[in-house]
Amino acid sequence: MSTGTDTTALAASAPTTPAESVPAPAPAPAESAPDAGTAPGPAKSVPPTGPAAAASGTGPAGVPVLKTPASAGPAPAGTSPAADTDAPGPDRAPAVPVPPAPARTRTAALAVARALKAVALRTAAILALVALWEFAPRAGLVDATFLPPISEVAVAWWELAGDGQLADHTQASLLRSFGGFGIAVAVAVPLGLLIGWYRPLADFLGPLLEVFRNTAALALLPVFVLLLGIGETSKVSIVVYACLWPVLLNTISAVRNADPTLIRLARSMDLSTPRLFQKVILPASVPAIFTGIRLAGAVSILVLVAAEMIGAKAGLGYLINASQFNFAIPQMYAGIVTISAIGVAFNQLLVTIERRLSTWRVPA
């Protein structure tokens, strides 16, 4: 048989390259035994593939393959192929530096310190007033009978809150005050927008508005009592009258002082009058309107207390007046402090609503 001779001649005739060549592998056995009656021929050799081909340096067709440095040998001990991908390169963005823990702690401490400083600055005057109120009667600077220390006022306030009297009087006053305040805002804002937008209507109603806005609400209280009686209607009506003018006049002024450039620009875009009010007039008028609303909120409480002192059987004004007649001075000051706290809280609520409705404004 000539199998060995042919295989040796085929290996000798294969082309060589300058790269390192590996001797040809040993001949593989024939695929199948020759059938009986047929002449024996040269056996077919199967070229190595896969890892064997890489090790032998020959390709699928028996062509020698150059060895690369990566395949020259196994990786050194203690290293992995994936470790090279973590190395910084020209295409890899640098990592963002993370500030150390002490720097973050120092920043948080500075923020807390600034917040505490702002709170202390805002409450310093109130704390000073409380300290003076407590010290002056005890030091004999004022008569403690007519101005008791604030600690005694706090005790009286707690007693009124415990037996339910303070809650009943506060509820009665808030219903009257907020009821009249709400009616005044609902009437004054649309009327102010209308008067401020239409100049002929403003000229017609101008003198009448000047007459009524310069008439004190408390001066008309006997008129309201004579016309509407001594019940709840007269008290709510006097609150409506007192709250109407600040809101109305500020709304008229806000509409008249709207930026004319914005109005001309909106008209050039063919906006209808309702859309013009929605997109231009109302947003520009919000700060001035809320200034009048805040003034009206303070006026509503003050006027109501005065009205309750004249004719009422419940309310904070009635509590103050009755405590004075009964010479319960700490209870009288407790009612005054409650009115002040309600006024401050109501004003803060209006300021918060104003900020929510005017988020487009750039903070100063």
Side-chain angles (χ1 to χ4, degrees), residues 109-287:
L110 290 176
V112 172
R114 285 194 296 267
L116 292 177
K117 182 180 179 180
V119 172
L121 184 62
R122 293 181 179 181
T123 58
I126 298 178
L127 294 178
L129 176 62
V130 170
L132 180 62
W133 191 350
E134 180 70 22
F135 172 76
R138 296 188 182 279
L141 300 178
V142 294
D143 191 350
T145 304
F146 303 108
L147 184 63
I150 194 172
S151 56
E152 296 182 10
V153 175
V155 172
W157 186 92
W158 185 258
E159 292 176 355
L160 291 173
D163 59 14
Q165 294 185 43
L166 186 64
D168 295 338
H169 292 302
T170 303
Q171 181 181 2
S173 294
L174 290 181
L175 289 177
R176 297 164 184 160
S177 178
F178 289 168
F181 172 80
I183 294 173
V185 172
V187 172
V189 171
L191 186 60
L193 294 174
L194 191 64
I195 296 175
W197 184 252
Y198 293 103
R199 179 69 62 175
L201 185 60
D203 295 337
F204 175 74
L205 295 177
L208 189 63
L209 296 179
E210 290 296 328
V211 169
F212 280 104
R213 83 181 186 92
N214 288 291
T215 304
L218 294 179
L220 296 177
L221 180 58
V223 178
F224 281 95
V225 172
L226 289 175
L227 296 178
L228 303 175
I230 202 172
E232 298 295 322
T233 306
S234 61
K235 299 177 182 60
V236 175
S237 299
I238 195 67
V239 172
V240 172
Y241 178 85
C243 296
L244 184 69
W245 306 111
V247 181
L248 179 63
L249 297 177
N250 278 272
T251 304
I252 294 174
S253 176
V255 174
R256 289 182 177 177
N257 293 329
D259 192 352
T261 303
L262 295 178
I263 296 176
R264 287 195 298 268
L265 180 61
R267 290 189 182 278
S268 67
M269 299 174 64
D270 295 332
L271 287 182
S272 61
T273 301
R275 295 285 291 175
L276 179 63
F277 267 88
Q278 178 186 0
K279 296 296 184 180
V280 179
I281 302 299
L282 282 179
S285 303
V286 164

Side-chain angles (χ1 to χ4, degrees), residues 8-21:
T8 305
L10 180 60
S13 62
T16 59
T17 61
E20 179 183 357
S21 61

Side-chain angles (χ1 to χ4, degrees), residues 29 31 35 45 85 93 99 171 231 242 248 250 255 262 266 290 305 315 352 360:
E31 293 182 354
D35 297 336
S45 60
T85 60
Q171 181 181 2
L248 179 63
N250 278 272
V255 174
L262 295 178
F290 263 90
V305 170
T352 303
W360 53 270

